[in-house]
Amino acid sequence: MMPKSKSFHLDDFIAGWIGGASSVVVGHPLDTVKTRLQAGKGYKNLTHCVLTIYRKESAMGFFKGLSFPLATITLYNSVVFGCFSNTQRLISKYRYGDGRHPCGLLDLTAASMVTGLVSVGLGAPVDLVKIRLQMQTQSLQTENLQWAGNVPSGGNDIRMRSLNLPNQQAYRGPIHCISSILQAEGLQGLYRGAGAMVLRDVPGYTLYFIPYTIFCNLLTPEHISSPHPFAIWMAGGLAGSISWITATPADVVKSRMQADAQLQRRYRGILHCIIHSYNTEGVQVFFRGASVNAIRGFPMSATMFLTYELSLRFFRSL
């Protein structure tokens, strides 16, 4: 991130928006798989989850809920990258008297943590709606099985009719999902899982931007001022994988709390979710989806950083 003399730059937000759009398209199919593995039921492993989604829902199943993140996560990434870059400049101006002064490790950590906190305010509702839409088939199918299991013996006809309901959807789309949540749970319903998201994003963005900066510097010769596109792509991909792998335990808790709605609620809060998940599924549950996060994190972040940096170069060359 190459700072200029002014303290605030709007082009960081625009470049973040463009990068966000490209990364959403690249990463959404694996994001759907990750969500199903973490919050769904009946999936043995990554391969089984992918094949199950494809067989039952076709290739379109991987893009379930794409329209909402495409419209909103682009804005989310715009805020994240704009906030991080401008916070860097403000820190440099405050500490060194010059916004162009290179940031040290402590400065990068502070900027990353601020970015993580800011991101939750916008990102929690977006993530919640995305997960509810991604989990529709899985959630309703599970709930219908629970209905069927509660029918007294001798109610076989009712049981069979209940089992035929999984194709019905609770939400017709993002707007209907938001209005349903507001009606049923109020404004706080949109921020369910926000606490777990803070635990994920504050350290997560620290382990996102700092590795990116380090890898970019390592891959760029000293006599070159701007990193090569390949260095940006590789540094961004590695940073994404590192960040997502380390954030997986908090991401599992967040996904479970956000998917926990509709007919039955299992978790009373973050601590209860952690204890209940550990008692019923063991410590390995907190690393469910880690392989997907690592695989998904590389192309998403590589695309994000590359598009962001190239967009900035284009804007600043005008």
Side-chain angles (χ1 to χ4, degrees), residues 16 20-21 24 26 37 44 76 79 124 133 137 141 156 170 173 184 225 234 244 250 269 291 302:
V24 167
V26 170
L37 281 172
K44 299 175 183 176
Y76 172 80
V79 171
L133 291 173
T137 299
Q141 190 172 21
N156 292 332
S225 58
M234 180 61 70
W244 272 108
S291 58

Side-chain angles (χ1 to χ4, degrees), residues 67-255:
S67 60
F68 187 69
L70 190 59
T72 54
I73 291 182
T74 49
L75 176 62
Y76 172 80
N77 278 288
S78 171
V79 171
V80 165
F81 276 76
C83 178
F84 176 74
S85 297
N86 283 285
T87 301
Q88 276 187 291
R89 277 188 286 273
L90 286 172
I91 290 173
S92 292
K93 188 174 183 179
Y94 176 77
R95 292 194 65 189
Y96 311 110
D98 184 359
R100 295 171 296 181
H101 191 282
C103 281
L105 186 61
L106 183 61
D107 304 325
L108 290 172
T109 301
S112 300
M113 293 178 71
V114 168
T115 301
L117 285 172
V118 171
S119 72
V120 173
L122 179 63
V126 172
D127 231 23
L128 182 134
V129 173
K130 172 180 68 68
I131 284 177
R132 294 282 177 91
L133 291 173
Q134 287 175 326
M135 291 296 295
Q136 279 201 114
T137 299
Q138 176 68 38
S139 297
L140 288 178
Q141 190 172 21
T142 302
E143 287 157 2
N144 289 329
L145 286 170
Q146 290 171 347
W147 287 349
N150 290 331
V151 175
S153 58
N156 292 332
D157 291 339
I158 296 176
R159 183 182 290 109
M160 291 304 293
R161 283 196 294 270
S162 295
L163 287 172
N164 284 332
L165 289 175
N167 289 329
Q168 295 185 7
Q169 294 187 335
Y171 308 120
R172 295 189 295 271
I175 302 301
H176 181 245
C177 181
I178 293 172
S179 64
S180 297
I181 293 170
L182 287 174
Q183 289 176 7
E185 307 171 50
L187 182 62
Q188 68 269 23
L190 288 175
Y191 284 88
R192 181 164 177 78
M197 197 169 182
V198 170
L199 295 178
R200 184 194 74 175
D201 285 0
V202 171
Y205 277 118
T206 303
L207 292 171
Y208 185 61
F209 287 114
I210 291 179
Y212 170 74
T213 303
I214 293 172
F215 285 130
C216 248
N217 291 336
L218 289 174
L219 294 169
T220 303
E222 291 184 6
H223 63 279
I224 298 177
S225 58
S226 298
H228 188 273
F230 175 77
I232 296 171
W233 181 84
M234 180 61 70
L238 291 172
S241 292
I242 291 170
S243 175
W244 272 108
I245 289 174
T246 54
T248 295
D251 191 48
V252 169
V253 176
K254 178 200 71 70
S255 293

Side-chain angles (χ1 to χ4, degrees), residues 143 146-147 150 260-266:
E143 287 157 2
Q146 290 171 347
W147 287 349
N150 290 331
D260 182 32
Q262 298 176 27
L263 300 178
Q264 295 187 0
R265 178 151 287 174
R266 291 181 294 173

